Each structure stands twice: as structure tokens, then as C-alpha cells.
Amino acid sequence: MNWIKVKIDYFSNTLEETKSKLINMFEEIGIKQIEVIDYFSDNSLDYNINFKKKSEIWSIIGYIVNNRFSKLKLNIISDKLKEFSLDDEEFMYEIYTSECSDDDWKDEWKKYFHTVNITDNIIIKPSWDDYEASEGETVIEIDPGMAFGTGTHETTALCVEFLEKYVPGKKKLLDIGCGSGILMLIGKILGVEKVVGIDIDSNVKDVVIENFEKNNIKDNYEIIIGDLVEDINEKYDLVVSNILVDVLTELLENIEKTLEKGATIIFSGIIKDKEEEFLRKTKEHNLIEIDRNEKNNWVSLVFKYN
């Protein structure tokens, strides 16, 4: 498959808020394949151990499938950026595009994705990094391949924190929109007996299998290619979904078919401005809020199924 790589370098007085707006801009037109680069530029001085400066220019990179709709999506991005600059006099940006293939896209991750502490105890590392675990740390090796999800985004980190808290005692986990399988994998390593992931992206299956093999997990997991919960026929005591809030709202219509009595549900990917509206919808589906956390304008919510 061929892609168009869209790179936006930007500056504003509220970099974190601007980053959330740009991520949301990409996601609103269906672009999940994104990289967010905070602080560092491509200048080699930024990486010199004796001179590590914090760059005021941040970047976000999105990948658009190069087809007959790509020009429309590029026009939408251009129009949105112009809107942002009219609303915020301090917002400045430059946009670049280039064509790339699947192999080019996979190699791009290696420039920016390195070992990170997702929580105090869970470390995510790609296969190309070496890392020696300290006592009490759990190291999970994961490569995104052609699927979305490295664990470095705030929404994923929030999910992982809640998984650590709510996994004990759970037997079956369902990850809706599983991407690279990172949340399935963490759930399994934390002690869930069986984990199942579903995703609409056909690239996901091979990526998830490869990531489970990297971590020496050979059974009690399953990947389903499908839309939300259409092809789910079992019930689960733990369900997690880290996707766009508009898609989460759509998911609510059928979420109950997947839930055991008393199940725990973790939702993430919710922009703070849309939290109140989403909470109103959850009350229509027998979900009782039991926990909440937020990072940089992103919110994660936990519910009990009544």
C-alpha cells in the first residue's frame, strides 16, 4: 500500500492543547496512523548528551492512504490549520508532504519510538532497543508494524494504569479497536486468562500475533477482524476500548451484549470537552462510573456494568 506522509511543525503558547487539537483533526477524518514528536527537532544538537535543548517547535505526522480520497483529506487538513491560525494568533505552522510505501512507514517508527515507562512498573520497548529491567519492572516488547499503537500516547498510558488497577481477578478481556495488541498483551501479562481483540484494520492480525510471540505468549488469545462488536458472541468481565469518543458513543449502543454482570469497562480517547456529553450517554446503557483520570486534556473513564 502507498501512503502520503503529512508532517506539521507547529508552535503555540499552549503546545499541549494544540497537540490535542491536531490529533483530533487527524482522527476526525479517519487518520489513526500518527506520530507525535514533542520537544526534539531533527537537529543533531538536540540529541547530543552534552547539549540537550528543549525545542519550541513540536511536530505531528499523519499517514494518509494514497487513493482518490487523499486530496480531499489534504484539503481538509489545510483548511483546519488555517482556522486554527485565525483563532489563535500565536499558532504558527509549516506543513510538508511526501509519498511513502508500507516499508518506508514501518521504518519511520524507528526514528521516534524508543523504550518508555508507561507506569512505574510497566516498560514498553521496541525490538531495536536494549533494556535491562530493574526489580519489580515488567518489560513488554512491542513493534507497531502497520497497526496503530505504541503505548506512548496519553490515552494508552491511562488505559494501562487502569489495567494495573482492575485486572486482578479478571478472567476474560476484550479490547475493542485493539491495534497493535498492546492492551491485550498487557492484560495477559498482568494475569487475565484469555484476551480477545477486535479491529477493523486487516493489518492487525499479523502484527498482534508477532507481538505476542515476541513476549513468549502462545495461547489463550484471539484476534477478530470486524467492526466494533458486530462479530463478538461471548461475554467478558473486563472490556477496554481506546478509540475516538464519537466511535465510543456509537459503541455504547451494542456494548451490553459483550458484558458479564458486574463487568468492568475502561474507555479512553475522550477529549475533555466531550466528556460530559459522553457520560450522559453511558447512563442510558446501565454503566455506572467508578473511576476517572486525565492527562493533557485526554480523559479515561471506568465503569461497572449494573
Side-chain angles (χ1 to χ4, degrees):
M1 186 180 292
N2 291 321
W3 301 78
I4 295 176
K5 174 182 175 182
V6 183
K7 182 172 184 276
I8 300 167
D9 292 339
Y10 62 95
F11 167 83
S12 81
N13 285 337
T14 53
L15 281 168
E16 289 289 355
E17 290 178 18
T18 302
K19 177 174 72 171
S20 295
K21 285 171 68 174
L22 293 173
I23 291 171
N24 198 42
M25 173 190 72
F26 277 117
E27 291 181 337
E28 282 179 351
I29 55 175
I31 301 171
K32 287 187 177 183
Q33 292 84 0
I34 57 173
E35 302 165 24
V36 179
I37 308 161
D38 298 350
Y39 303 127
F40 297 114
S41 73
D42 292 331
N43 189 326
S44 61
L45 286 174
D46 290 351
Y47 300 91
N48 187 311
I49 193 167
N50 297 313
F51 182 72
K52 196 174 186 182
K53 81 182 185 74
K54 208 174 188 182
S55 175
E56 293 179 339
I57 305 297
W58 290 12
S59 299
I60 184 167
I61 298 170
Y63 291 85
I64 303 173
V65 177
N66 194 355
N67 58 22
R68 61 194 178 96
F69 299 109
S70 55
K71 186 174 181 180
L72 174 63
K73 291 187 175 183
L74 288 169
N75 287 338
I76 291 171
I77 290 169
S78 178
D79 289 344
K80 283 281 189 180
L81 291 171
K82 288 174 184 174
E83 284 180 28
F84 294 160
S85 62
L86 289 173
D87 293 340
D88 180 1
E89 292 181 356
E90 301 300 326
F91 174 64
M92 293 178 284
Y93 68 92
E94 291 181 333
I95 184 168
Y96 309 90
T97 59
S98 63
E99 294 184 3
C100 60
S101 66
D102 283 352
D103 289 337
D104 296 330
W105 186 73
K106 284 186 283 189
D107 289 340
E108 283 290 316
W109 285 97
K110 297 183 181 182
K111 296 180 184 178
Y112 309 113
F113 177 33
H114 297 287
T115 301
V116 291
N117 290 67
I118 297 300
T119 69
D120 290 341
N121 302 311
I122 294 180
I123 313 298
I124 303 293
K125 70 171 285 296
S127 59
W128 53 86
D129 268 4
D130 292 323
Y131 182 83
E132 188 171 336
S134 302
E135 186 177 350
E137 289 183 339
T138 299
V139 179
I140 296 170
E141 186 167 303
I142 191 161
D143 292 343
M146 286 305 297
F148 180 70
T150 62
T152 57
H153 192 270
E154 291 94 338
T155 60
T156 311
L158 287 165
C159 280
V160 174
E161 290 172 7
F162 279 141
L163 283 174
E164 282 189 303
K165 185 173 181 178
Y166 291 101
V167 154
K170 296 296 189 292
K171 295 182 178 180
K172 291 170 63 181
L173 178 149
L174 173 65
D175 181 3
I176 302 166
C178 64
S180 64
I182 184 169
L183 298 178
M184 296 169 60
L185 190 53
I186 289 171
K188 185 72 176 150
I189 288 171
L190 289 174
V192 179
E193 291 179 16
K194 180 182 179 181
V195 295
V196 176
I198 184 167
D199 201 291
I200 199 169
D201 184 351
S202 59
N203 291 305
V204 156
K205 192 165 189 176
D206 290 342
V207 174
V208 173
I209 290 170
E210 184 178 340
N211 283 325
F212 270 67
E213 288 177 349
K214 286 183 196 308
N215 291 274
N216 298 313
I217 297 173
K218 305 186 185 306
D219 53 25
N220 283 332
Y221 72 92
E222 181 183 359
I223 310 101
I224 299 168
I225 303 303
D227 188 11
L228 295 179
V229 294
E230 275 184 12
D231 299 308
I232 302 297
N233 300 310
E234 293 184 80
K235 292 184 182 293
Y236 299 82
D237 57 359
L238 180 60
V239 172
V240 60
S241 189
N242 176 26
I243 49 182
L244 300 177
V245 66
D246 292 340
V247 184
L248 288 176
T249 302
E250 181 183 345
L251 171 62
L252 288 175
E253 297 301 319
N254 295 301
I255 190 72
E256 292 183 68
K257 68 176 269 192
T258 70
L259 303 175
E260 292 184 356
K261 184 178 179 181
T264 300
I265 307 96
I266 302 169
F267 288 138
S268 197
I270 302 163
I271 294 286
K272 193 173 180 180
D273 289 346
K274 296 188 176 183
E275 179 184 6
E276 187 176 340
E277 180 184 352
F278 180 72
L279 281 170
R280 282 200 300 270
K281 294 285 186 182
T282 61
K283 292 174 183 176
E284 300 172 9
H285 299 281
N286 300 304
L287 301 181
I288 299 170
E289 184 186 356
I290 60 171
D291 213 339
R292 178 192 184 279
N293 200 359
E294 69 173 90
K295 288 184 179 181
N296 297 327
N297 211 39
W298 293 99
V299 175
S300 186
L301 300 166
V302 184
F303 299 87
K304 187 70 73 177
Y305 179 53
N306 186 16

